[in-house]
Amino acid sequence: MKRKVSYGVSPRRNPRDKEMPPKWYGQIVSNGSISLEELAEIIANRCTVKLADVLGVVTAFELEMKKALLNSEIVELDRIGRFRVTVSSKGALTEEDYHQELIVGVNVRFSPAKYIKEVLSKTDFAKKPLYVREKV
């Protein structure tokens, strides 16, 4: 059975011209989430490795990835993609005026590998209702 990515549509107004009628845009509808333990169990059932071993490896990977990111290293996972740290900051008029307190946010960015991009480019979609909050 071929899997399909679920999407819904929702109206959005142009923030620059609130008088214009809204346009409808697609967005992904989550089908839930899967926990680390559930993933580990699936992996353990596909090979000869036990659940505890999978959990141990993933936990060790998590710790080492955290160390690498905190060391400003890019974490490359061949067929999955790359993880790197990025920051959001306020600007300074000169380089000398810039200081650490102007950094207002830290994020981890993921860039998918070519393999993942190729898989996603061949995605089939299934339209589902989208939960839209009522205006208050």
Side-chain angles (χ1 to χ4, degrees):
M1 179 178 137
K2 191 168 186 180
R3 295 176 185 237
K4 295 185 178 190
V5 173
S6 302
Y7 77 97
V9 292
S10 65
R12 295 190 192 149
R13 293 202 177 275
N14 181 343
R16 292 188 181 132
D17 188 354
K18 297 189 187 240
E19 299 302 314
M20 287 183 63
K23 290 185 179 178
W24 290 80
Y25 294 90
Q27 65 185 75
I28 300 301
V29 175
S30 171
N31 287 321
S33 62
I34 187 165
S35 70
L36 174 58
E37 183 137 347
E38 290 169 315
L39 275 175
E41 191 172 322
I42 292 167
I43 292 167
N45 288 330
R46 291 187 68 173
C47 59
T48 59
V49 180
K50 293 184 175 154
L51 174 63
D53 297 325
V54 175
L55 287 170
V57 169
V58 173
T59 301
F61 173 80
E62 176 188 352
L63 294 170
E64 293 306 317
M65 182 173 170
K66 182 173 61 173
K67 284 181 193 176
L69 292 172
L70 288 171
N71 196 37
S72 297
E73 295 175 288
I74 297 170
V75 178
E76 295 189 45
L77 305 175
D78 296 339
R79 291 177 38 121
I80 296 173
R82 304 166 66 164
F83 294 86
R84 63 187 172 88
V85 176
T86 63
V87 296
S88 300
S89 73
K90 296 178 182 176
L93 292 176
T94 67
E95 183 177 355
E96 292 78 23
D97 290 340
Y98 194 88
H99 50 86
Q100 180 177 330
E101 287 74 28
L102 293 174
I103 296 174
V104 295
V106 181
N107 288 302
V108 175
R109 292 277 187 250
F110 171 72
S111 301
K114 183 179 176 184
Y115 170 76
I116 298 290
K117 288 180 184 178
E118 287 172 359
V119 168
L120 291 175
S121 72
K122 298 172 185 160
T123 299
D124 285 332
F125 293 93
K127 188 174 180 180
K128 288 192 169 186
L130 180 67
Y131 170 77
V132 179
R133 284 179 267 162
E134 293 182 24
K135 291 185 179 182
V136 181

